[in-house]
Amino acid sequence: MATVNVRLRDVREEDRERLLDWRNSPDVAAYMYSDHKIGRDEHDHWFDVVRHEARRRYWIIEVAGEPVGLANLADIDMVHRRCAWAYYLASPNVRGLGVGSFVEFWVIEHVFGDLGLNKLWCEVLISNESVWRLHELYGFQREALFRQHVIKNGHAIDVVGLGLLADDWAERREAMAQRLRDKGFTIETRSPDQLNRLSHRDTCQRRPHR
């Protein structure tokens, strides 16, 4: 099986226009909380803030060197050792290749391995079933159902709240790693001792930086 070359890199100034186009594209906007068309001033303010705020982190997802989507962490809390996350693929050409699954694996590894956090959580529109089912496959537990939480196109939409603990990931990691290997991705194997250390961290190895 051919290897899919995926990497996540920091957002750069050259991504400003691309991200405005993506944020306003119907395929992406359909699963966001807001419905309005994002204007230049609003976008520039958002872009300038998120690149320098310590509690957030954004990456451009690239496939074979081409930008195809965005992943991010939000509400990074080093005291309570948790953060939220989200991602989207703006290019329909890469869907079905396992890119979203690889991004999920990469972000989880970064949160628990590099940042030393204990919990990763997210909110997903109930209509975005493929994403919340992928989260559940990776070990996320459904922790909340926010009924009629968001208005989209004049309709009240439920939102699913999900959470993953470092202990959960230590149990689930190898199965998800093998799933990616079967799709042609190269994933490091970890020993039981490494997984045990991953799920019982008291402090972080390094703080997030932008």
Side-chain angles (χ1 to χ4, degrees), residues 4 10 19 41 60 64 66 75 102 146 168 172 189 208:
V4 182
D10 289 340
L19 284 170
D41 290 345
I60 294 293
E66 292 296 320
D75 299 322
F102 176 86
F146 302 107
D168 301 331
R172 194 70 181 141
T189 298

Side-chain angles (χ1 to χ4, degrees), residues 13 16-17 20 23 38-53 56 58 210:
E13 176 60 35
R16 185 183 293 265
E17 296 300 320
L20 176 58
R23 295 176 74 201
I38 298 170
R40 165 59 58 192
D41 290 345
E42 179 184 354
H43 175 72
D44 283 344
H45 174 74
W46 171 84
F47 187 84
D48 292 335
V49 167
V50 300
R51 292 180 66 207
H52 301 96
E53 186 176 340
R56 303 188 200 183
Y58 283 76
R210 304 199 56 78

Side-chain angles (χ1 to χ4, degrees), residues 72 79 85 128 138 145 150 160 183 196 207:
N72 79 285
V79 174
W85 88 291
N128 198 0
Y138 269 75
L145 176 64
V150 175
V160 179
K183 291 178 177 290
N196 185 61
R207 290 182 177 273

Side-chain angles (χ1 to χ4, degrees), residues 107-118:
V107 169
I108 294 170
E109 291 279 274
H110 179 68
V111 167
F112 296 142
D114 297 332
L115 301 185
L117 300 183
N118 182 57

Side-chain angles (χ1 to χ4, degrees), residues 42-173:
E42 179 184 354
H43 175 72
D44 283 344
H45 174 74
W46 171 84
F47 187 84
D48 292 335
V49 167
V50 300
R51 292 180 66 207
H52 301 96
E53 186 176 340
R55 284 171 55 86
R56 303 188 200 183
R57 183 74 190 272
Y58 283 76
W59 299 276
I60 294 293
I61 304 164
E62 293 186 341
V63 175
E66 292 296 320
V68 299
L70 183 75
N72 79 285
L73 302 181
D75 299 322
I76 300 171
D77 189 330
M78 307 308 292
V79 174
H80 298 293
R81 298 177 59 216
R82 66 177 183 237
C83 68
W85 88 291
Y87 83 96
Y88 61 76
L89 297 177
S91 171
N93 297 329
V94 300
R95 292 170 190 159
L97 300 179
V99 176
S101 191
F102 176 86
V103 170
E104 183 126 357
F105 190 97
W106 188 96
V107 169
I108 294 170
E109 291 279 274
H110 179 68
V111 167
F112 296 142
D114 297 332
L115 301 185
L117 300 183
N118 182 57
K119 182 174 183 177
L120 181 62
W121 62 276
C122 58
E123 296 177 359
V124 183
L125 297 183
I126 193 73
S127 55
N128 198 0
E129 184 175 353
S130 62
V131 168
W132 58 255
R133 286 197 180 277
L134 180 63
H135 292 333
E136 290 180 338
L137 179 66
Y138 269 75
F140 280 81
Q141 300 294 311
R142 187 178 296 199
E143 298 181 340
L145 176 64
F146 302 107
R147 297 178 300 158
Q148 300 184 17
H149 198 61
V150 175
I151 303 299
K152 296 289 291 182
N153 299 315
H155 299 285
I157 304 296
D158 293 349
V159 171
V160 179
L162 304 110
L164 179 72
L165 302 180
D167 284 341
D168 301 331
W169 182 237
E171 295 178 0
R172 194 70 181 141
R173 182 190 188 274

